[in-house]
Amino acid sequence: MISRPRIIAIQLSAALGITSVGLVPTVALGQAMLEEVVVTARKREESLQETPVAVSAFTGKSLQELGLTNISDLTKVVPNVDMGIGNGTTGTGNAFIRGIGARNTGVNYDSGVGIYVDNVYVSRADGAIVDNVDVQSVQVLRGPQGTLFGKNTTGGAILYATNRPEDEFGGNALVRVGNYNKIDSTLTVNVPLVGDTLMSRFSLYQTKNDGYVQSEIPDDLPPQALGNFPFYEGEYNDINRYGGQAQLRWLAADDLTLDLNYNYGKTDQAARGQNCEVVTDIPGTGWQGDLQNPFIVIPSTGETIIDWCQRNDDLGKDKIMANLEPNQYKAEVNTLALTVDWEITDVLNFKSISAARSAEGGEVNELDAIGIALLGRTNFAGNGAEQRNTDSYSQEFQLLGSAFDDKLDYVVGAFGFTEKTDKGAATSPSLFFGALTIPNLAFYQSNLTKLEAKNTSASVFGQADWHFDDYWTVTLGARYTWEEREVTRTFRVPDISDLATTGDASVSPISDTFIDFPSGPETFNPNHGYVVDIDTRPLSPTFGMPDPRADQTRKLDDSKITPMMSIQRTFDGVGFMDFGNAYLTIANGFLSGGITDTVDTITGLVGEYDPEEVWNYEIGFKMDAWERKLRLNTAIFYTDYTDRQLTTIRISPEGRIAGALINAKSSYISGIEMEAVILPTDNLQLTANVTFNHGKIEEYDDFRIESIPASGIRPECTAIETGAGEVANCPIDRSDEDLPRLPDSIFYLAAQYTFETNYGSVVPMISWSYRTNLQNCFDASSCLSGVYKVDQEDLSARLTWNSPDMNWRVTGFGNNLTDDRYVQGGTPLVDVTSTAGTTYNLPRTYGIEAAYNW
């Protein structure tokens, strides 16, 4: 086995023979050389090629030329970025960089990728699908950014900047139509109010298309199922987002600028429908089916859990069965930010960024993808369910300057953040009438769980560049962060007195989860109330009384110093190279620890997970060559993780399953990222990106839930009562698994050519992207199954006409032209049901867009 120090040495020495990291620019029409790209990856404006950071940057114009309409499209063109248009069965944002992100999107979890819109941190996944509307630039910073951007950037950061108001009246409009009844529209107007002193800018947008997944009711459903479940017919995987932005810019003085920015976004669309695939070749899976099929599922539905999954799979990728209503994902986000930029002197600048953000969201999750009322969760059921509502406030101060005749550049600052979620309750109903073949007996398992979270954080940071001469620079930086996190979990069970409209429902002697309805199934009241559970622990001082564990509050605080060091050497005019920049960077970062919403099966108490810490070692080389007709940027990195946060499956004392966050003690990721742009002729641009990764989990201890065999429970396992019988909770070593969302290799190729005519320019463009062995599982058997380990390929093309005055643009486009379909997510539950819920990528899409500037 190769040791980790040797791996580092091999990769870093290899960097000496390769080149460096960067961007995928596009070229202005007829341009003879690549333009300089300005980035703010280090809190100040500087040339991309001079920045010792692995960063890809795009202007608003290049986003249009590449056909990138929202943040999820970055997956195609940026090395090691995986950003889907939803997570699980919801439309929440879920970004991964270099295999780092967060599968869990609850209010008590944070992502390892920081998303910033106009320097404002987007802390929650609701509203994190950012549409590219009136965008000035997008920058993707890969690797931990713990010094300048703080905690929760162990994977990297994505920086969005919108266009600022200007002193001339103008604007632009765009309409895009396509198959699946797609219609997108944007409108931006820039209005000067008081000369060149007070200016405004307004944008509106809408993006909408029908879904490509349809739920239907098969003709041959068993009679029991028809009477048991309200099967739902309708559309899934649609898109319906709209919003706007209003900005004011006041040039209060020659050296003082104030920007006030209000941003609104709303999502109101269906959930993401899942196919269901049977996985029966992994020993020990399907404990829920083993427990419930004989006494509950078969008597109530006429078929087993696996039979129902197979029914769904037989319908095909884009047809499903579903029963949980309403079919919905909703989010609404309001953000208000004030930026004050004061140029104190020619070499000293002060900036203040104040922001308030409110995010509300809720969804319906049919987790099992089976079509019967087995595993689901909803924020819209009434009777206590409510959408989550998070309010956050942040304040950042920055002081940027130069000293010692520009030999020293520095930035120092302070950041404060507070966030509170005061709503957010979901019910998880599972209902089967006819259990044990008794018509009026129901297996009913449900709860109402509410999470309230408070997060407070404060930090100070500083980073300085010392330029020894025109070529050598050393950068040192550090950040101190303190944070406090608090979670309150409220747990309620059904109110038996309210379960039947006739008031005569009662708990069966069999178990608390078996309910008798003497007046018949039609008396079930889905809008019943919820109450505090009764403590059933025989030795507990509160035995027979309301369970004190129903309302739990835990608080923790932590502090961390995250340093970084970089040394770089620039080159001018060496051979065919016009400019070069070689750098070595060592950077530290951490991802917040926290408090889980799952409880220990024995104690019933909520637990916690540790912070994730990372050290990243990176060598890069950036080069412009051949009279700036070639740009070649490469980074080689090795990232060492301690207590990496990974998602697994846990079971509650009452037998419900839920995703949980636990720590893998030791893991690492290494890779090489190469980006190249070349102009072989004045009108031809070729772009190529190549990435190779290797990741390994060295120590990852977990628990797996299994059925108890006839021979009895194994000594290392613990028995758990679920309400329908006992299962075994067994320790498992998962250190041989693939890291999630980390492809083995990534390839991107694109070519565009500009034809100049008397009637304007015509620009055809074709692009191809390919990712290999991308893993999207989280429970142990799902990772073993191979269902979620796929290759992903996309072939797209665009044909654009620009008017001679460049005011009009018309583009025909096609995406996924080969109609390649692959798994891009879902809800892995192979351990639980021997089934895998899978969501698939968009089929072939095509359309036309027209834009006008004035």
Side-chain angles (χ1 to χ4, degrees), residues 750-762:
Q752 70 176 45
Y753 190 87
T754 302
F755 294 93
E756 303 283 3
T757 74
N758 294 331
Y759 304 98
S761 59
V762 178

Side-chain angles (χ1 to χ4, degrees), residues 454-491:
K454 296 180 182 178
N455 304 327
T456 303
S457 177
S459 60
V460 293
F461 60 90
Q463 185 166 301
D465 300 336
W466 181 262
H467 308 288
F468 289 96
D469 53 32
D470 291 339
Y471 301 104
W472 285 97
T473 300
V474 170
T475 302
L476 297 174
R479 187 183 192 106
Y480 171 80
T481 302
W482 167 86
E483 67 171 352
E484 180 181 84
R485 304 175 74 87
E486 179 181 303
V487 171
T488 296
R489 180 182 186 267
T490 303
F491 182 83

Side-chain angles (χ1 to χ4, degrees), residues 632-647:
L632 183 59
N633 295 343
T634 304
I636 294 180
F637 65 91
Y638 178 89
T639 311
D640 190 11
Y641 285 88
T642 302
D643 291 324
R644 174 165 177 177
Q645 297 169 10
L646 294 174
T647 302

Side-chain angles (χ1 to χ4, degrees), residues 714-727:
R714 300 202 307 268
E716 67 270 23
C717 303
T718 304
I720 302 172
E721 174 59 50
T722 69
E726 284 190 335
V727 294

